[in-house]
Amino acid sequence: MIDLKGVIPVAPTAFTEDEELDLESQKRIVDYLVDAGSDAICVLANFSEQFSLTDEERESVVAATMNQADNRIPVCVTTSHYSARIAAERSQQAQEQGAAMVMLMPPFVGSSITVSEEGVLEYFKRVADNLDVPIMVQDAPMSPTPLSVELLARLAKEVPQVRYAKIEIAGAAEKIRSLVGAAGEALPGPFDGEESVTLIPDLEAGAQGTMSSGMIPDKLGQIVHKFLAGERAAAEEMWEDMLPMIQFENRQCGLRATKILMEEGSIIRSAKTRAPMQEVHPETRQQLLALAKRKDALILRWS
């Protein structure tokens, strides 16, 4: 199975102003993320607005990404679904399309339909059946189905395909540290998320990488690899320099930040998100652009 460390940015899903898929822009996103030194690319994640896509659109995005990546970079496909059967079908289809890894949240619907620990374990066993690529379990705050350290360790030990976990909850470093101790070699790939807003503490806790947005993967990849190479002071300095931009994305814009900067940098033709998601306030947009320009962000000058 593939061994990934570093940065795995989430590729946004590009839309036209009429909210149709823009696959030509989608291909340019892939080229930008490759040139930015990403260690892999993730598609159809929550930051990709996967919740607004039809099944047919999902297939189109994966196909366009795989074709454009052309084996230059591994691709992770998010295949989350409440149904174990559908999640397994999505995962197998992603594997057939060339995915190097799949990522899933535990099953849930809304805030009240959750699943027991034994149910989560059975779910991932069914998803993993006939699957050769590794699974990343996404521990995200939007899911009300709890993933305790003990459950995540059981998943890693009882489901061989579970090799990665994306921990993006409050207190991520503490959970990563406990998970590393509980799972050991069964889980070689703990990652953080949340736009890398707690990256250095998470790396200190044992994270091997970050699944960020596509905003500054060139910088985040350098930070992770420097830290893992023992260059802690240099990694800390780089992260602290980029932290205002990371925090602005995390607290002010969310998934819209990358799209705004990609539009400004002519990577995509439109920063459109699908309704009912609202556009950011014009002043917020200008503050984001000014900050990115001060940091000389690659996303603005790549094209």
Side-chain angles (χ1 to χ4, degrees):
M1 289 187 181
I2 192 169
D3 180 24
L4 284 173
K5 302 182 191 308
V7 61
I8 307 176
V10 172
T13 301
F15 300 119
T16 67
E17 284 296 309
D18 295 329
E19 299 187 16
E20 298 292 334
L21 286 183
D22 182 353
L23 295 180
E24 288 306 310
S25 289
Q26 200 71 44
K27 294 174 183 177
R28 284 178 58 78
I29 291 172
V30 173
D31 288 340
Y32 156 70
L33 294 177
V34 170
D35 287 352
S38 306
D39 294 281
I41 296 171
C42 179
V43 295
L44 303 181
N46 294 321
F47 252 47
S48 311
E49 299 173 75
Q50 59 86 14
F51 40 77
S52 71
L53 301 177
T54 67
D55 286 345
E56 293 77 13
E57 288 173 330
R58 289 174 56 90
E59 293 179 16
S60 296
V61 169
V62 173
T65 301
M66 293 298 181
N67 290 337
Q68 195 69 15
D70 194 25
N71 295 316
R72 292 179 294 164
I73 191 169
V75 177
C76 171
V77 178
T78 307
T79 57
S80 299
H81 197 282
Y82 176 80
S83 164
R85 176 177 177 174
I86 295 174
E89 290 174 351
R90 284 182 171 183
S91 298
Q92 289 166 18
Q93 182 178 18
Q95 177 177 266
E96 291 167 2
Q97 290 179 289
M101 179 166 66
V102 296
M103 181 172 72
L104 301 95
M105 288 186 288
F108 71 96
V109 176
S111 61
S112 60
I113 300 180
T114 61
V115 178
S116 68
E117 289 202 352
E118 291 302 320
V120 171
L121 187 63
E122 179 61 26
Y123 173 90
F124 278 98
K125 286 181 177 179
R126 288 189 61 178
V127 169
D129 192 33
N130 297 319
L131 201 65
D132 297 321
V133 299
I135 295 172
M136 175 179 276
V137 180
Q138 184 178 7
D139 187 7
M142 72 165 51
S143 169
T145 295
L147 289 172
S148 66
V149 169
E150 293 73 21
L151 176 56
L152 285 167
R154 280 190 70 191
L155 286 170
K157 292 175 180 179
E158 297 183 30
V159 185
Q161 292 87 339
V162 173
R163 304 275 293 170
Y164 297 86
K166 180 184 181 183
I167 309 300
E168 50 179 347
I169 59 168
E174 181 177 348
K175 190 165 189 176
I176 290 170
R177 186 175 292 107
S178 298
L179 181 57
V180 169
E185 294 181 358
L187 189 75
F191 272 59
D192 83 348
E194 284 282 289
E195 297 82 69
S196 308
V197 73
T198 58
L199 178 55
I200 291 297
D202 297 339
L203 290 171
E204 290 176 340
Q208 297 298 298
T210 184
M211 185 175 281
S212 64
S213 73
M215 188 174 70
I216 50 170
D218 53 314
K219 297 294 186 181
L220 295 174
Q222 292 180 57
I223 292 166
V224 173
H225 288 293
K226 283 181 182 295
F227 189 96
L228 295 179
E231 300 177 42
R232 175 174 170 171
E236 287 181 340
E237 183 177 357
M238 285 188 66
W239 179 67
E240 289 168 0
D241 181 59
M242 300 309 299
L243 196 52
M245 196 169 169
I246 294 170
Q247 289 179 327
F248 198 92
E249 174 187 36
N250 181 266
R251 303 301 295 175
Q252 305 298 331
C253 302
L255 64 85
R256 299 166 296 183
T258 296
K259 284 192 162 186
I260 289 169
L261 296 178
M262 283 186 171
E263 180 187 51
E264 185 71 16
S266 300
I267 298 171
I268 61 178
R269 287 178 284 198
S270 172
K272 191 72 173 179
T273 55
R274 280 183 168 171
M277 189 171 291
Q278 301 293 306
E279 295 182 3
V280 302
H281 191 280
E283 291 184 9
T284 303
R285 180 186 175 103
Q286 289 305 313
Q287 290 166 4
L288 173 66
L289 291 174
L291 185 53
K293 289 175 182 176
R294 288 200 301 274
K295 297 299 180 181
D296 189 30
L298 175 66
I299 196 170
L300 293 180
R301 52 183 171 80
W302 171 80
S303 64

